[in-house]
Structure formats: C-alpha cells, structure tokens
Amino acid sequence: MTIQEIQNEIIEDFSFFDDWQDRYEHLIEIGKSLKPLSEEQKQDSNLVKGCQSNVWLTAKEEDGKIIYEADSDAILPKGIAGLLVKIYSGQTPEAILKSDEGFIEKIGLQEFLSPTRANGLLAMMKQIKFYAIAFEAKSK
C-alpha cells in the first residue's frame, strides 16, 4: 500500500470514533501492536530528541525500503509512534520525503494533544524524515 492509502485508512478508522476518549484508546491499541525494542536498541542514539517521554526510533534499509521500529516508556507516545511506523515503515525514502502529514489534522490529533505531546509528534516525524534523507543519500 502507498503512504496515502494507509493514511486514508487511518483517517477512516478514526472517523468511526465520536469522542476523543475512544480515539485515545484506539491510539493506545495501535501502540500495543508494536513489537518491543530490545534493550540494545534502546540506546541514547535512538532516542527521539524533543519528546517529553522516552521514545526510541530505529531504521534499517531492506530492498530499497526503510523499516522503522519504535518503542516508548509511555502509552500515548507509543501509540503515536505505532501510528507513524504503520504509515512509513516499508516505504521508499523518496515516498516518505514526498508524503505530507495532512492526515494528522484530518484525524484531529493535534487538537487532542497537549503542546508537549504535539512537539513530540513533530519530533518523531522529523526523525522519520531524517532517516529517509540519510538512506536516500546513501543509495546515490
């Protein structure tokens, strides 16, 4: 699936929930679906800078696509990380860099998050894009 198709699926999923408590619980469930990172992956170099909680994000390249893995010590950031991994993992660097983050607004995530959590979301997005830039440059 393309990034846009996955984002559209997520927008549709979130549209079924009438209130933010239900959306919050859905986000937590997405986080629970993440495979926990190993202790060796939970090193400072994998910490996302700018997050209030500890969020670790790793990336590796397989067959021209980036495979992201993430974990957090807090349930909501883990859900946000899970959402982003669901969208961007398995995509090419080019597709990641060309994608937009309009889905965040469409599911109302920014309205729901506190300013510090919103900053964490932006920090995670920035790290995903940085990995894409690095892998794209490496392939040239």
Side-chain angles (χ1 to χ4, degrees), residues 25-125:
E25 288 172 20
H26 183 60
L27 205 51
I28 290 168
E29 286 304 311
I30 291 170
K32 288 179 181 176
S33 72
L34 281 177
K35 184 185 89 171
L37 293 179
S38 68
E39 286 307 310
E40 73 179 33
Q41 289 174 301
K42 290 182 178 180
Q43 52 188 288
D44 287 349
S45 61
N46 291 330
L47 274 172
V48 177
K49 311 294 183 265
C51 288
Q52 184 178 3
S53 306
N54 288 324
V55 176
W56 297 271
L57 180 68
T58 66
K60 61 185 174 187
E61 189 265 335
E62 287 181 8
D63 301 322
K65 297 183 180 189
I66 302 175
I67 307 303
Y68 293 102
E69 292 181 297
D71 204 348
S72 178
D73 58 6
I75 58 172
L76 186 59
K78 188 171 183 167
I80 294 168
L83 189 68
L84 297 177
V85 166
K86 184 176 181 176
I87 293 168
Y88 296 105
S89 190
Q91 302 293 334
T92 64
E94 182 182 19
I96 293 165
L97 294 171
K98 286 184 176 179
S99 69
D100 72 19
E101 295 85 43
F103 75 96
I104 294 168
E105 191 175 314
K106 289 179 182 165
I107 64 174
L109 195 52
Q110 283 178 311
E111 298 165 26
F112 164 69
L113 297 175
S114 67
T116 53
R117 295 278 190 236
N119 286 341
L121 168 62
L122 294 175
M124 287 183 233
M125 281 302 314

Side-chain angles (χ1 to χ4, degrees), residues 6-24:
I6 297 167
Q7 289 175 343
N8 288 342
E9 229 176 55
I10 288 168
I11 291 165
E12 191 175 320
D13 286 350
F14 274 82
S15 73
F16 289 113
F17 303 111
D18 293 329
D19 64 39
W20 259 108
Q21 187 61 36
D22 293 336
R23 290 177 185 195
Y24 184 81

